Amino acid sequence: MTVSAKIRLPLLVATSVAFGLAALPAHAANEARPASAAPANQTSVAQLNEEGAALYAARDYRRAIEKFIQAYAIDTDPNLLFNIARCYEELGEVDAAIEKYETFLKTPGADTRGRQRARDSIVSLRETREGTAAESAAPRASSPSNAPASEAPRPVADSAEGSNALPWLTLGGSVLFAAAGTAFYVLGTNDHAQVTDAEGYRDPTAVSNMTRREADDLVRSGDTKKLLGGLSLGVSGALAATYVVLLIAGDDESPAESEPNLGFSLSPSPEGAAVSVQGSF
């Protein structure tokens, strides 16, 4: 028993130096695990453990893991699991580190202070993993609300263009209805004039070359055309008033812009009504 204790002591001392763990007493380690390994294997385990500790101190954690795994394959010392877990933790491989710490805690013979440090590390690693998961989910949750921001100015520009074109459309409609109304009114007046200018009009003794039926048809046709002309002129006047309102509103927003000026006048005449359009552009 005394010879075996001297052989295992370098392994535990190397573990203590690398990770700050107190080495188990030699007799306690031997009582927890039978000394069945050959002296040559124990020497190999101690050497691999020392090499792993040196690599850990040099921050070559990946190669240090390889040395500790080789040592653990020869001697299943639970403290080697702790060393492997520490290397995975330094590498940032959270899941692997937690798995090795949990295996270390489940294995009999683990160092007492190492068990407490393993529990603390597991808690810290789980908090880190949850925080990382929350951070990775945050951009996905916020992206839908930020996506349409680049397209927001487009409707504003379209609305501004539509509001600038509306007065011109109203003005154009007013001019068209005024022209149509005037044409209908003139045609109706011409129909009436054919009756009033006919030979023998208002002379009961004269003989007219126009029959009563023809005269009635011309009168009805003239009345219909004058009615259509009056309605068209009324719509034209309404559009003109709308244009004036839009023009005033546009002047309030952009007083520097020059807008066309248009005016309508309706004057009675012996033949009916006359409409005149005056304006400047």
Side-chain angles (χ1 to χ4, degrees):
M1 295 293 292
T2 306
V3 174
S4 175
K6 291 181 179 180
I7 292 174
R8 291 186 56 80
L9 186 57
L11 168 62
L12 297 176
V13 169
T15 305
S16 175
V17 170
F19 306 106
L21 299 178
L24 290 174
H27 63 85
N30 289 324
E31 291 176 359
R33 197 170 53 257
S36 58
N41 288 343
Q42 294 295 337
T43 302
S44 178
V45 169
Q47 181 179 356
L48 290 170
N49 188 69
E50 291 176 358
E51 291 176 359
L55 290 170
Y56 180 91
R59 297 185 178 182
D60 192 352
Y61 305 115
R62 191 67 66 185
R63 292 179 59 195
I65 291 174
E66 295 176 359
K67 297 296 181 180
F68 291 135
I69 290 177
Q70 293 174 13
Y72 188 77
I74 300 172
D75 185 3
T76 56
D77 185 349
N79 295 304
L80 291 170
L81 294 174
F82 181 90
N83 296 352
I84 296 171
R86 287 297 301 274
C87 291
Y88 279 126
E89 184 177 358
E90 293 294 337
L91 289 171
E93 299 181 10
V94 177
D95 293 335
I98 292 176
E99 188 268 332
K100 293 300 179 185
Y101 277 132
E102 291 178 343
T103 305
F104 167 75
L105 293 174
K106 295 175 183 178
T107 305
D111 182 78
T112 303
R113 281 178 290 179
R115 293 173 67 87
Q116 183 58 44
R117 292 188 62 184
R119 294 190 189 96
D120 295 340
S121 295
I122 289 175
V123 173
S124 177
L125 288 170
R126 286 176 176 170
E127 291 177 351
T128 301
R129 183 172 58 185
E130 293 174 358
T132 303
E135 291 177 359
S136 61
R140 290 195 298 270
S142 60
S143 59
S145 60
N146 297 331
S150 61
E151 299 180 0
R154 185 174 299 174
V156 175
D158 294 341
S159 177
E161 293 176 359
S163 62
N164 291 333
L166 185 58
W168 292 98
L169 293 175
T170 305
L171 176 62
S174 176
V175 172
L176 290 176
F177 275 101
T182 302
F184 276 115
Y185 202 90
V186 170
L187 291 174
T189 302
N190 289 336
D191 289 346
H192 288 171
Q194 292 182 41
V195 176
T196 58
D197 294 342
E199 185 179 352
Y201 178 72
R202 291 183 180 179
D203 185 0
T205 61
V207 178
S208 176
N209 57 359
M210 182 182 297
T211 64
R212 181 69 180 184
R213 182 184 180 87
E214 291 175 347
D216 292 340
D217 290 341
L218 287 173
V219 170
R220 284 193 297 269
S221 175
D223 291 341
T224 302
K225 292 175 181 178
K226 284 187 175 182
L227 177 61
L228 292 175
L231 292 175
S232 298
L233 292 173
V235 173
S236 175
L239 290 174
T242 304
Y243 167 76
V244 172
V245 173
L246 294 175
L247 182 62
I248 294 174
D251 289 340
D252 292 339
E253 295 177 358
S254 54
E257 296 181 357
S258 176
E259 298 289 346
N261 183 19
L262 185 65
F264 294 89
S265 62
L266 182 63
S267 59
S269 67
E271 303 297 335
V275 178
S276 60
V277 181
Q278 298 176 350
S280 60
F281 296 87

